[in-house]
Amino acid sequence: DKDLSLLNEFLAPIPLEVGSNGQSTVYSGDLTSAGSVVTKRGTGTLTLRGVNSTGGNLVVAQGVVRMDGGSLNAASVSTVNAGGGQFVLDGGVLTATANSVFAGGTNGLLVNGGEAAFDGGLSSENGSATNHIIKVTGGSVTASSVTLGRSSLIYTAEPTGGSTTSGLHIANGSV
């Protein structure tokens, strides 16, 4: 794969949308920019393996963005509830400098391996009773803060035991 600079001739950031055709793609080149927003659409999976530094936000509006090697430095990583987007870290290093928000109703963030550092914080919104919003099965996750939001449901009592099917689930790895 070739490297891709997301800057125009005046060195201004250019937004990038990928995946609208619903196909899965592996990109091993390097994405570089200073502030570009990269949006994943469509039902397929975009696998990143290169050294990627967008300086802007990575938004998973639909489908899956998977990292199984390489690195990603972004302002934030987020998923969109309505689109069912998911970010999967199977390996490599993810660094997000601003608050990253993962929406409920999907398995928004899944960490199976690698290292994720959310220096600006890690949040969930619209918590679901049926899906994990943040799930860690391996690797390591660090965050300056973690905020878990609930849905509009009203709970009359806190659960007596932990849940393995909703909210934040840590099965392995370190947080």
Side-chain angles (χ1 to χ4, degrees), residues 68-142:
D68 60 8
S71 63
L72 172 63
N73 293 306
S76 70
V77 177
S78 60
T79 60
V80 178
N81 186 27
Q86 181 183 39
F87 185 88
V88 178
L89 182 62
D90 285 330
V93 177
L94 164 67
T95 304
T97 57
N99 189 46
S100 294
V101 180
F102 294 91
T106 68
N107 294 323
L109 173 64
L110 174 60
V111 179
N112 294 318
E115 300 173 22
F118 296 95
D119 297 339
L122 177 59
S123 301
S124 71
E125 59 184 30
N126 300 324
S128 169
T130 59
N131 292 304
H132 296 104
I133 299 170
I134 301 168
K135 183 175 182 179
V136 180
T137 64
S140 67
V141 175
T142 59

Side-chain angles (χ1 to χ4, degrees), residues 2-165:
K2 295 187 179 223
D3 296 342
L4 178 61
S5 174
L6 299 176
L7 299 173
N8 66 17
E9 66 271 17
F10 304 107
L11 301 179
I14 301 169
L16 174 66
E17 287 197 12
V18 297
S20 293
N21 64 0
Q23 300 295 310
S24 293
T25 303
V26 174
Y27 183 70
S28 298
D30 299 341
L31 288 175
T32 58
S33 78
S36 295
V37 175
V38 177
T39 303
K40 164 66 178 80
R41 299 201 185 279
T43 57
T45 298
L46 170 63
T47 301
L48 298 174
R49 293 190 175 144
V51 177
N52 303 287
S53 181
T54 67
N57 301 324
L58 172 65
V59 179
V60 187
Q62 295 171 308
V64 175
V65 172
R66 177 182 309 274
M67 277 184 59
D68 60 8
S71 63
L72 172 63
N73 293 306
S76 70
V77 177
S78 60
T79 60
V80 178
N81 186 27
Q86 181 183 39
F87 185 88
V88 178
L89 182 62
D90 285 330
V93 177
L94 164 67
T95 304
T97 57
N99 189 46
S100 294
V101 180
F102 294 91
T106 68
N107 294 323
L109 173 64
L110 174 60
V111 179
N112 294 318
E115 300 173 22
F118 296 95
D119 297 339
L122 177 59
S123 301
S124 71
E125 59 184 30
N126 300 324
S128 169
T130 59
N131 292 304
H132 296 104
I133 299 170
I134 301 168
K135 183 175 182 179
V136 180
T137 64
S140 67
V141 175
T142 59
S144 61
S145 64
V146 176
T147 304
L148 301 176
R150 287 191 168 174
S151 67
S152 60
L153 297 174
I154 298 172
Y155 293 92
T156 57
E158 291 297 318
T160 57
S163 172
T164 60
T165 61

